[in-house]
Amino acid sequence: MTFGEQPAYLRVAGDLRKKIVDGSLPPRTRLPSQARIREEYGVSDTVALEARKVLMAEGLVEGRSGSGTYVRERPEPRRVARSGYRPSGGATPFRQEQADASARGTWESRSEQTEASAAVAERLAIRPGDRVMRTAYLFRDAGEAMMLSTSWEPLAVTGRTPVMLPEEGPLGGMGVVERMAAIDVVVDNVTEEVGARPGLAEELLVLGGVPGHVVLVVRRTYYASGRPVETADVVIPADRYQVSYHLPVR
């Protein structure tokens, strides 16, 4: 194969993708059968099957048991606006995670004490096995599950304080910055790293995706004088949302 040539299955997948994008194969339309693809493009059954697999992996089509393969609805991606931390104003967890003022957000949460894994310990600059408060969040926009978040806070910082439980006590439901300030811990920096990966089965079950769908993962860490005081993984369905950053110029 010379430079610039594509395997037959990618050429077939590319033509079918073009038809899906330009509307020739609209949503809910049944994809041509494997036999039809073989005949129309003059390829083998193996090539036809691989082309269909490519479209499924890209999330453009979905299989329905006993019925065939159909073009999926392609929702217009909505914006997840992020603006970093806000040192005042009492940002709630939803506003902390989703700064779009038009979002009608609600959230559910569950907190538990646990031991830091090696990965979490590295992010929090503590030892593996040290106690942390782990809080899992499910965020909804107008009732639709849109985001998952799991945060960890070292109990060496928050343990035996009024803010040990993020969703309980006098500052329950407030953002990290305000909660930490209440115990004289001044958050002065936050970092976020954004990546993508296939969603885990349990994540996609909650977020409404199908196996193979990609999620965006925002890895966020708050610091106070260089010390990590909270770290979190924020998981967002990549086919329905795009992340937009609004950062102040200092």
Side-chain angles (χ1 to χ4, degrees):
M1 185 173 66
T2 61
F3 179 76
E5 289 185 348
Q6 284 187 319
Y9 77 94
L10 288 181
R11 285 189 279 109
V12 173
D15 189 66
L16 291 170
R17 184 191 302 113
K18 181 176 180 297
K19 292 179 178 179
I20 292 171
V21 172
D22 69 18
S24 300
L25 286 172
R28 299 185 296 277
T29 298
R30 186 172 179 175
L31 194 72
S33 67
Q34 188 169 313
R36 177 73 179 275
I37 293 174
R38 182 190 64 213
E39 295 170 4
E40 183 175 342
Y41 293 95
V43 297
S44 67
D45 280 332
T46 300
V47 169
L49 177 60
E50 289 301 312
R52 288 157 63 93
K53 286 182 179 179
V54 168
L55 298 177
M56 292 189 74
E58 292 176 349
L60 295 174
V61 301
E62 60 185 355
R64 299 180 187 174
S65 180
S67 179
T69 304
Y70 292 80
V71 178
R72 293 185 65 243
E73 294 278 1
R74 300 182 66 221
E76 187 70 24
R78 287 183 284 171
R79 185 181 64 165
V80 174
R82 302 185 66 78
S83 59
Y85 72 87
R86 289 179 296 283
S88 62
T92 65
F94 190 89
R95 287 290 173 237
Q96 172 182 299
E97 297 292 3
Q98 155 61 297
D100 189 340
S102 66
R104 293 165 289 170
T106 59
W107 69 92
E108 305 161 18
S109 66
R110 183 180 68 257
S111 296
E112 62 178 353
Q113 293 190 38
T114 186
E115 295 181 352
S117 66
V120 169
E122 181 178 5
R123 289 164 60 173
L124 289 174
I126 59 178
R127 294 172 299 181
D130 282 358
R131 303 293 290 177
V132 295
M133 183 64 70
R134 176 185 181 274
T135 303
Y137 291 93
L138 167 60
F139 297 90
R140 299 181 186 275
D141 180 8
E144 176 186 331
M146 62 164 292
M147 190 182 337
L148 299 171
S149 176
T150 304
S151 70
W152 297 268
E153 296 179 354
L155 288 174
V157 175
T158 62
R160 299 181 182 277
T161 73
V163 301
M164 183 174 72
L165 291 167
E167 294 297 310
E168 297 181 21
L171 292 179
M174 306 305 284
V176 173
V177 175
E178 181 149 325
R179 289 177 48 249
M180 292 296 169
I183 56 173
D184 298 322
V185 175
V186 179
V187 173
D188 54 17
N189 192 21
V190 58
T191 64
E192 292 196 347
E193 299 175 356
V194 183
R197 60 166 171 78
L200 304 178
E202 54 268 30
E203 293 170 340
L204 296 175
L205 179 64
V206 175
L207 294 172
V210 299
H213 275 193
V214 173
V215 295
L216 299 174
V217 181
V218 180
R219 177 183 288 190
R220 183 201 67 215
T221 304
Y222 283 102
Y223 296 86
S225 300
R227 179 183 186 180
V229 295
E230 191 257 19
T231 193
D233 285 338
V234 182
V235 178
I236 306 164
D239 63 331
R240 285 181 281 142
Y241 295 92
Q242 58 187 13
V243 178
S244 174
Y245 280 84
H246 301 266
L247 304 176
V249 177
R250 298 180 185 278

